[in-house]
Amino acid sequence: MRLRFAPSPTGYLHVGGARTAIFNWLLARKEGGVFVLRIEDTDRERSSDEHTRAILDGMTWLGLDWDEGPFFQNEGVERHRRDALRLLGEGKAYRDFSDPDEVRAEAQERDMHPSRVAREKADALAPGESDRRAAAGEPFAIRFRVPDGETRFQDLVHGDMRFGNSDIDDLVILRSDGTPVYNLAVVSDDADMRITHVIRGDDHLSNTPKQVLLYRALGLPEPIFAHVPLILGADGKRLSKRHGATAIGDYAAEGILPEAMVNFLALLGWSPGDDREFMTVEELIAAFTPERILRKSSVFDTEKLSWLNGRHLSVRPDAELAGHIRRHLADEATLRADLLDDPAWMAALLPVIKVRARTLDELGDQARPFACDELHYDPHAVEKHWLKDPAEAIERLERTRHAFAGAAWTQDALEDRLRSLAEEMGTGAGKLIHPLRVALTGNMASPGIFDVLVLLGRERSEDRMGRAVKRIRAS
Ligand code: GLU
């Protein structure tokens, strides 16, 4: 099995392209096949090295390694021309000397397809006329002469596909400037690379009968096709920049993990046949079959992506997450690298904060109050839980600190002390917890307060409570 991903470097790697690459790659890896990367750069004006680089970077980030390539379509131009000239020589294509504007006007007048007008003009030339004009240097395009009848092929997703050839125009295969068009180049390249399976977007479905006709005219073996439905935005319209980030690089920058992105995109338009959602790359490879690509379009659900990301995040090794947290908090003057380097401390911290983070950046933010000695106090939390009634907040903090003094520093012991104190003060435990949370984390929300206390330890907790009281007094 030989598969390929054939992006045009006219833009960044977007989620639709990445999904196409993932499907081809999964099938290649499952079947022990070869995955080829071919950059289709024949549109010289719209292609750029920057886009090529972004595509390669995106593939590398996703972990989609290619076995051959990257090849550049432009390098095959001579072969594309030879194939076009061969069709011309065999009478399966013809020279079109006509002026496109004239042909268009005539086609409109006679209510015909322009290519049929061009064909009529070519066929009306006297014998030898076409060769003579070409030899004299007159410019011409080469058009493929679509035969009569119908074109059928099997699509792994859509089944038996039939197209009436009268609906297919005589496509230009070589422009008058000598450049090949996509439909010829792709056939020539896929045959040259001995590609056996082509998985690509539904937007190419109308090209496929033309390509199938070209394979047959050139006597080349046809690959098996699988056309994947579109990706839609939440509003049911084709996914575009209007819906938010569509470039793979944007997701990398947002702290999405590559394996979460691969998992998410693989499930967008494909199903493992059971109700699994969280899947590792190995599980995806084992389960993938193109027959289970769905026929209907699927909706890009960013909530699900975040959720999957959180799941994948939670199974990453502690040391790696520690490294990320350290990078995320690198600007903090009071960062406690000693704690991040302590595997036992990280093993205690991570389970508590992982469940509250769906991206690497969120994980870093969650770690901040524990990994740094200086807190950033959220002004809303300060206002709501300290400054509405400063005297009361001070009393609650002081009495809580007092109640904790001498307690064993465990969740159970601390909870006992706090609940007894609340009872003694005739108030709810929450009333004591809110100002305490701001004192310990600076934030309105945090992991469970007893988790926070134990993670911080006695000394840091007492110190923060003391600093809180000073701050409230000073304000
Ligand atoms: N270069 C084409 C594109 O980016 C893909 C062609 C193909 O997969 O056959 O849309």
Side-chain angles (χ1 to χ4, degrees):
M1 234 183 228
R2 293 177 58 87
L3 295 109
R4 48 59 159 192
F5 176 50
S8 305
T10 52
Y12 297 101
L13 181 62
H14 54 88
V15 290
R19 183 189 58 168
T20 299
I22 288 167
F23 286 169
N24 282 288
W25 181 84
L26 287 174
L27 187 57
R29 291 296 169 261
K30 175 171 187 186
E31 302 295 337
V34 173
F35 180 58
V36 181
L37 178 59
R38 181 175 74 230
I39 304 293
E40 303 211 315
D41 59 344
T42 42
D43 183 345
R44 304 305 287 166
E45 272 180 10
R46 295 173 57 226
S47 297
S48 76
D49 290 346
E50 188 198 346
H51 290 142
T52 299
R53 190 168 319 283
I55 291 169
L56 300 187
D57 287 351
M59 302 268 298
T60 304
W61 179 72
L62 288 167
L64 308 178
D65 53 333
W66 50 93
D67 306 306
E68 293 179 15
F71 298 113
F72 291 85
Q73 187 155 57
N74 201 44
E75 289 165 0
V77 162
E78 282 313 316
R79 175 170 31 73
H80 307 149
R81 284 193 194 123
R82 272 201 307 278
D83 285 339
L85 291 171
R86 180 149 74 81
L87 291 174
L88 181 65
E90 293 173 2
K92 295 169 181 165
Y94 55 89
R95 295 192 189 96
D96 175 3
F97 294 97
S98 55
D99 173 343
D101 291 334
E102 266 173 37
V103 167
R104 240 191 314 275
E106 187 175 336
Q108 202 163 10
E109 205 167 292
R110 296 171 57 197
D111 195 22
M112 284 168 72
H113 195 279
S115 79
R116 292 297 195 256
V117 175
R119 187 199 283 200
E120 263 187 29
K121 289 193 184 301
D123 288 350
L125 295 179
E129 175 79 359
S130 170
D131 291 346
R132 195 189 53 72
R133 287 170 71 173
E138 198 178 317
F140 59 87
I142 297 182
R143 281 189 189 269
F144 178 63
R145 187 186 293 273
V146 172
D148 293 338
E150 87 174 349
T151 303
R152 282 178 76 165
F153 60 89
Q154 296 299 317
D155 187 282
L156 289 180
V157 179
H158 299 276
D160 187 26
M161 299 298 291
R162 295 158 172 253
F163 292 83
N165 291 3
S166 55
D167 294 332
I168 306 173
D169 47 306
D170 281 0
L171 58 147
V172 169
I173 51 178
L174 200 67
R175 296 187 192 90
S176 56
D177 63 2
T179 58
V181 302
Y182 156 72
N183 277 309
L184 175 73
V186 78
V187 166
S188 182
D189 288 352
D190 282 339
D192 186 58
M193 294 171 185
R194 306 189 317 283
I195 298 301
T196 58
H197 293 70
V198 169
I199 305 178
R200 64 185 174 194
D202 251 359
D203 47 335
H204 284 289
L205 200 49
S206 60
N207 283 320
T208 308
K210 299 175 190 172
Q211 293 173 18
V212 166
L213 285 168
L214 287 171
Y215 279 107
R216 293 177 186 168
L218 286 162
L220 298 170
E222 293 160 37
I224 293 169
F225 292 97
H227 287 91
V228 184
L230 286 181
I231 300 177
L232 307 177
D235 57 359
K237 303 231 169 70
R238 184 181 180 156
L239 188 71
S240 74
K241 291 216 177 92
R242 280 184 302 113
H243 297 102
T246 55
I248 288 296
D250 294 340
Y251 289 95
E254 277 176 22
I256 294 291
L257 297 169
E259 62 268 36
M261 198 72 201
V262 170
N263 186 172
F264 173 70
L265 289 175
L267 293 182
L268 209 54
W270 172 80
S271 150
D274 49 44
D275 56 8
R276 270 182 297 175
E277 297 211 283
F278 172 80
M279 292 177 81
T280 64
V281 170
E282 288 70 30
E283 288 167 340
L284 289 168
I285 292 172
F288 190 76
T289 81
E291 286 80 7
R292 274 205 302 271
I293 292 174
L294 309 174
R295 278 191 203 199
K296 62 171 181 43
S297 306
S298 26
V299 174
F300 193 92
D301 176 356
T302 42
E303 270 302 302
K304 182 166 171 187
L305 172 60
S306 306
W307 174 78
L308 274 174
N309 199 59
R311 293 285 312 271
H312 281 277
L313 193 75
S314 69
V315 299
R316 292 287 275 247
D318 287 4
E320 188 192 310
L321 294 176
H324 188 83
I325 291 169
R326 179 193 289 264
R327 281 190 295 283
H328 186 78
L329 301 176
D331 291 341
E332 293 284 350
T334 59
L335 180 65
R336 294 283 301 272
D338 57 319
L339 295 175
L340 294 180
D341 284 342
D342 176 355
W345 190 79
M346 283 304 293
L349 173 71
L350 284 171
V352 174
I353 62 170
K354 267 196 252 187
V355 290
R356 306 176 58 83
R358 303 206 295 184
T359 66
L360 287 169
D361 287 355
E362 283 177 15
L363 188 75
D365 289 337
Q366 286 290 332
R368 192 187 306 272
F370 303 100
C372 303
D373 282 334
E374 205 58 59
L375 293 179
H376 301 265
Y377 294 95
D378 169 6
H380 299 295
V382 167
E383 182 56 42
K384 182 160 181 205
H385 297 305
W386 284 359
L387 301 187
K388 253 199 215 142
D389 189 340
E392 190 179 65
I394 289 172
E395 191 204 353
R396 287 173 176 168
L397 282 168
E398 298 266 47
R399 290 190 64 174
T400 304
R401 182 163 59 151
H402 193 254
F404 287 167
W409 209 260
T410 64
Q411 295 212 23
D412 290 348
L414 294 167
E415 183 165 357
D416 271 356
R417 296 277 178 119
L418 186 124
R419 293 204 186 281
S420 319
L421 174 63
E423 221 163 285
E424 194 182 306
M425 291 176 74
T427 184
K431 296 269 187 266
L432 300 179
I433 289 172
H434 293 313
L436 179 59
R437 171 170 285 124
V438 183
L440 297 178
T441 69
N443 294 329
M444 196 85 92
S446 79
I449 199 71
F450 304 106
D451 276 325
V452 173
L453 282 161
V454 170
L455 278 169
L456 287 172
R458 184 192 301 274
E459 206 180 309
R460 294 175 92 202
S461 301
E462 285 180 346
D463 175 56
R464 287 179 187 199
M465 291 160 78
R467 272 194 278 159
V469 169
K470 281 206 197 95
R471 267 185 94 97
I472 300 172
R473 285 219 171 94
S475 59

